[in-house]
Amino acid sequence: MEMNNKPIGVFDSGIGGLTVAREIMEQLPQESIVYFGDTARVPYGSKSRETVTRFAFEGLNFLLSQDVKMVVVACNTVSATCLEELKKYSPVPVLGVIEPGARAAASGTYTGTVGVIGTERTIKSQAYVKAIHDINRDINIYSKACPLFVPLVEEGWLDNEAAFYTARTYLTPLKKEGIDTLVLACTHYPLLKPTLQAVMGENVRLVDSAYETAKEVSRMLKVMKLERYEAAPSVYRYFVSDDPTKFIEVGERFLQRPIDPINVIDPEVPCQGLKSKGRKSE
């Protein structure tokens, strides 16, 4: 297959990366996608750097075995932990989610006061603080780890009482700081956008790193002349590392399209995607 017509690989620790996949589908409907969600080992945000790095390389190698032309690391934890290592290793371009989100936050704030919410590892890394300050050192940034948001999304609890209570608890300190822009520094978090917006109020802009990342994917494909030109319809394939039931239930509601085919694979087994070891979920 010619390089242009190969699919884009999207990797996340679980279901959150579907926010990036959806934006790519909407902005680049002609492109095919291979998605891998490491649902057996989610969340990544509370794990050590060494563990996250190992999981990231296993995810990257799986997608490379699927003959992709680009890999989008749709996971802020991985992007904050080992993105440069993945880029050096990969024979195809690798794009993370931090730089696009940081640029949108820096250009969108009108008071110079920005909030960042993410997993414990992403917040401790200060990756967004560094990226935003590389653009504008004068922006005040207030960060908050929100570890319970990922399991809420994975459970499909997007707008119930538990989601609102958790959001109010996490976000009230940021509201008191007077932020006008809130960066959703985890690709799971856009699934909670209605709840987060209700808690923060309409005057606070939510920066969706998934949307910004898809825009960057489009730009990179054009620059590298890798846009798909094949006349056949785009194809979306999904892989997970554990029981796909919840992934399908939440993912289909969010994507508004069937998640089929879907296969369960073991990311620790090298190149198994080429050996048909996945099983299709009925």
Side-chain angles (χ1 to χ4, degrees):
M1 182 186 297
E2 292 186 38
M3 181 63 76
N4 295 67
N5 294 324
K6 292 180 179 181
I8 297 169
V10 180
F11 167 58
D12 184 48
S13 59
I15 199 170
L18 288 176
T19 59
V20 176
R22 184 182 74 168
E23 291 295 345
I24 295 173
M25 292 172 186
E26 292 184 356
Q27 296 183 36
L28 300 166
Q30 77 279 9
E31 297 291 343
S32 294
I33 295 172
V34 177
Y35 183 94
F36 171 54
D38 195 3
T39 51
R41 304 187 292 196
V42 70
Y44 282 7
S46 58
K47 294 178 171 61
S48 69
R49 185 187 191 285
E50 292 73 22
T51 298
V52 170
T53 300
R54 176 165 61 85
F55 291 173
F57 271 91
E58 289 170 355
L60 173 61
N61 279 323
F62 172 72
L63 288 176
L64 292 176
S65 79
Q66 300 300 299
D67 202 22
V68 298
K69 64 182 176 183
M70 169 188 284
V71 172
V72 180
V73 178
C75 176
N76 281 268
T77 299
V78 172
S79 295
T81 301
C82 57
L83 184 65
E84 292 307 313
E85 296 170 58
L86 298 176
K87 286 182 176 180
K88 291 177 182 177
Y89 171 86
S90 175
V92 302
V94 175
L95 172 66
V97 291
I98 291 174
E99 293 295 335
R103 284 196 297 271
S107 64
T109 180
Y110 56 89
T111 64
T113 308
V114 172
V116 178
I117 56 174
T119 65
E120 292 175 359
R121 173 151 291 282
T122 296
I123 296 304
K124 286 179 181 178
S125 75
Q126 293 199 311
Y128 273 89
V129 174
K130 295 171 185 173
I132 293 171
H133 278 167
D134 282 345
I135 300 168
N136 186 344
R137 294 291 304 178
D138 295 329
I139 293 176
N140 295 314
I141 304 170
Y142 298 92
S143 302
K144 179 70 175 176
C146 304
L148 291 180
F149 281 167
V150 170
L152 281 172
V153 170
E154 295 285 333
E155 193 63 32
W157 293 359
L158 307 179
D159 55 5
N160 62 7
E161 184 177 348
F164 274 99
Y165 176 81
T166 304
R168 284 194 298 268
T169 301
Y170 282 147
L171 300 181
T172 296
L174 297 180
K175 287 185 69 174
K176 290 180 178 178
E177 296 294 347
I179 66 171
D180 70 351
T181 302
L182 180 65
V183 181
L184 310 185
C186 175
T187 50
H188 283 67
Y189 295 1
L191 289 162
L192 293 164
K193 277 172 74 173
T195 296
L196 302 180
Q197 193 74 72
V199 170
M200 293 304 299
E202 292 301 322
N203 291 330
V204 175
R205 178 194 178 203
L206 302 185
V207 172
D208 183 343
S209 57
Y211 174 81
E212 301 299 334
T213 299
K215 284 173 56 178
E216 182 64 11
V217 170
S218 178
R219 188 193 69 81
M220 288 181 64
L221 290 178
K222 289 177 181 176
V223 168
M224 295 183 293
K225 301 187 185 324
L226 286 177
E227 296 166 289
R228 183 173 183 260
Y229 54 77
E230 189 175 38
S234 54
V235 176
Y236 307 134
R237 293 184 292 136
Y238 304 87
F239 297 84
V240 292
S241 54
D242 200 6
D243 182 2
T245 305
K246 182 63 68 174
F247 182 93
I248 294 172
E249 178 186 337
V250 178
E252 288 189 341
R253 185 167 69 243
F254 178 68
L255 290 176
Q256 294 297 300
R257 68 180 74 222
I259 294 180
D260 181 33
I262 186 167
N263 289 272
V264 179
I265 61 102
D266 182 350
E268 295 184 15
V269 177
C271 300
Q272 65 181 297
L274 297 179
K275 300 177 181 177
S276 301
K277 290 192 177 181
R279 64 172 177 82
K280 185 173 180 180
S281 174
E282 300 298 333

